[in-house]
Amino acid sequence: MIRTTKHLAYTLKVDFKEIESIIKNIDNFYREKIEIKTDKFGKPKLDAQGIPKKRIIHPSKKRLKIIQKRIHRNILNKIEMPSYAYGAVKKKDNVDNAKKHLGKKYKFTTDLKDFFPSIKNEAVFKMFVSQGFSPTVARILTQLTTYKGQIPQGAPTSSTLANLVFIKTGDILNKFAKNNGATFTSFVDDMTFSSAKDFKNKIPEILKIITLDYKISHKKTNYSRNPNVTGLHVMNNHLELPKSFKEKLASTEGKSPQQIAGLLLYKEKVDRSNKGK
């Protein structure tokens, strides 16, 4: 891994003085944006009054965004991701994630609340050091990928960075699942556990592991035989598209040809997965 600032600057193809300047003036390289929250199919999430839910995100801009893309491509993507991670991982997606739980009678799903903002710069720094980066390089990389003390939503590095920080907890969950005859997968902030045997009595222990460093969304915490797993219903031997997606596919009103094509491609991918292709 990278041990010196000279090696870091070479890897990012940038003069180190520019890195120092960006860090010193970091507020100039982020913008504030109000974004409507959407589900996995792009549909706006609504509150109890039917009003679209919103959140404030901080996308990076200018040279920092370019440098973050290089950090993602030349550094983060070089770090091996655990087999249980499916979200924001190359050549993996939500369909692959759901498929891991086929044939399992019992399933438990939960969602990490405010996942990105909950990951502080200290955790990011420790992750880089644990991956073999020198403390100096780890500090600089942390300064280039966090904002206001946390992982910013909207930056090119954020999803992969969050995955890497979560390994500390994910490895514990994965080991716990294997020791109890269950399967565990993560899809960024979505956690799924499944087993052929009833493991309801193990849920308090699972939640204890998670809540040591993260908060969960109680509304998205569910133990049942047929929960929604990253946007799909996992049946005994096939994946099923939810009713909301089928309705969206059936109505072309207000959709562009590209949007319709995207929906059809997604349906075809699920169909292919069910056929074992």
Side-chain angles (χ1 to χ4, degrees), residues 17 25 56 68 86 131 159-160 221 235 258 270:
K17 288 183 179 179
N25 301 282
I56 297 175
Q68 285 177 340
Y86 282 81
Q131 291 292 340
S159 293
T160 302
T221 298
M235 314 306 285
Q258 292 79 10
V270 175

Side-chain angles (χ1 to χ4, degrees), residues 66-170:
I66 293 171
I67 291 171
Q68 285 177 340
K69 286 181 178 180
R70 293 174 185 172
I71 291 173
H72 186 263
R73 182 177 63 250
N74 301 334
I75 296 176
L76 300 183
N77 275 354
K78 304 292 184 183
I79 302 174
E80 186 177 358
M81 204 65 73
S83 60
Y84 56 77
Y86 282 81
V89 177
K90 195 174 181 180
K91 296 183 179 180
K92 289 185 177 183
D93 59 21
N94 68 304
V95 179
D96 299 316
N97 178 71
K99 197 171 182 179
K100 284 292 291 185
H101 302 280
L102 281 172
K104 308 293 176 60
K105 189 175 182 180
Y106 300 95
K107 303 175 188 74
F108 173 64
T109 57
T110 191
D111 183 273
L112 304 184
K113 190 175 182 180
D114 299 323
F115 185 41
F116 286 6
S118 72
I119 301 177
K120 307 305 179 186
N121 52 5
E122 182 182 1
V124 174
F125 172 80
K126 288 181 178 179
M127 181 279 294
F128 279 123
V129 171
S130 72
Q131 291 292 340
F133 294 86
S134 70
T136 298
V137 172
R139 175 179 56 79
I140 294 166
L141 285 172
T142 299
Q143 291 173 319
L144 289 171
T145 57
T146 60
Y147 183 55
K148 294 185 176 179
Q150 61 194 32
I151 291 182
Q153 288 179 286
T157 48
S158 293
S159 293
T160 302
L161 200 61
N163 272 343
L164 291 168
V165 172
F166 187 73
I167 288 175
K168 175 188 171 186
T169 299

Side-chain angles (χ1 to χ4, degrees), residues 2-218:
I2 301 171
R3 306 290 301 174
T4 67
T5 56
K6 183 179 180 180
H7 187 188
L8 177 63
Y10 174 80
T11 302
L12 299 180
K13 296 179 174 58
V14 62
D15 189 288
F16 188 69
K17 288 183 179 179
E18 183 180 9
I19 292 176
E20 291 180 311
S21 178
I22 288 173
I23 291 172
K24 186 178 180 181
N25 301 282
I26 199 68
D27 287 336
N28 296 331
F29 295 91
Y30 285 96
R31 61 190 177 92
E32 187 173 287
K33 179 182 177 183
I34 298 176
E35 180 181 78
I36 294 176
K37 292 185 178 182
T38 58
D39 60 21
K40 291 177 177 61
F41 303 113
K43 187 177 180 180
K45 293 181 179 180
L46 307 177
D47 62 18
Q49 286 72 44
I51 300 172
K53 294 181 179 179
K54 299 178 181 179
R55 63 184 166 199
I56 297 175
I57 66 173
H58 293 91
S60 53
K61 60 181 183 179
K62 302 176 184 176
R63 284 289 291 171
L64 176 60
K65 185 174 182 178
I66 293 171
I67 291 171
Q68 285 177 340
K69 286 181 178 180
R70 293 174 185 172
I71 291 173
H72 186 263
R73 182 177 63 250
N74 301 334
I75 296 176
L76 300 183
N77 275 354
K78 304 292 184 183
I79 302 174
E80 186 177 358
M81 204 65 73
S83 60
Y84 56 77
Y86 282 81
V89 177
K90 195 174 181 180
K91 296 183 179 180
K92 289 185 177 183
D93 59 21
N94 68 304
V95 179
D96 299 316
N97 178 71
K99 197 171 182 179
K100 284 292 291 185
H101 302 280
L102 281 172
K104 308 293 176 60
K105 189 175 182 180
Y106 300 95
K107 303 175 188 74
F108 173 64
T109 57
T110 191
D111 183 273
L112 304 184
K113 190 175 182 180
D114 299 323
F115 185 41
F116 286 6
S118 72
I119 301 177
K120 307 305 179 186
N121 52 5
E122 182 182 1
V124 174
F125 172 80
K126 288 181 178 179
M127 181 279 294
F128 279 123
V129 171
S130 72
Q131 291 292 340
F133 294 86
S134 70
T136 298
V137 172
R139 175 179 56 79
I140 294 166
L141 285 172
T142 299
Q143 291 173 319
L144 289 171
T145 57
T146 60
Y147 183 55
K148 294 185 176 179
Q150 61 194 32
I151 291 182
Q153 288 179 286
T157 48
S158 293
S159 293
T160 302
L161 200 61
N163 272 343
L164 291 168
V165 172
F166 187 73
I167 288 175
K168 175 188 171 186
T169 299
D171 281 354
I172 298 171
L173 291 171
N174 192 46
K175 184 178 180 179
F176 182 85
K178 286 182 177 180
N179 289 342
N180 288 279
T183 296
F184 163 67
T185 63
S186 66
F187 194 84
V188 189
D189 56 356
D190 288 339
M191 309 288 113
T192 303
F193 299 81
S194 65
S195 177
K197 298 180 180 179
D198 188 348
F199 63 101
K200 190 174 184 178
N201 64 324
K202 300 295 182 181
I203 292 177
E205 292 177 75
I206 291 172
L207 294 177
K208 185 177 180 180
I209 294 170
I210 294 173
T211 55
L212 191 64
D213 290 307
Y214 303 95
K215 294 179 181 179
I216 64 164
S217 173
H218 293 284

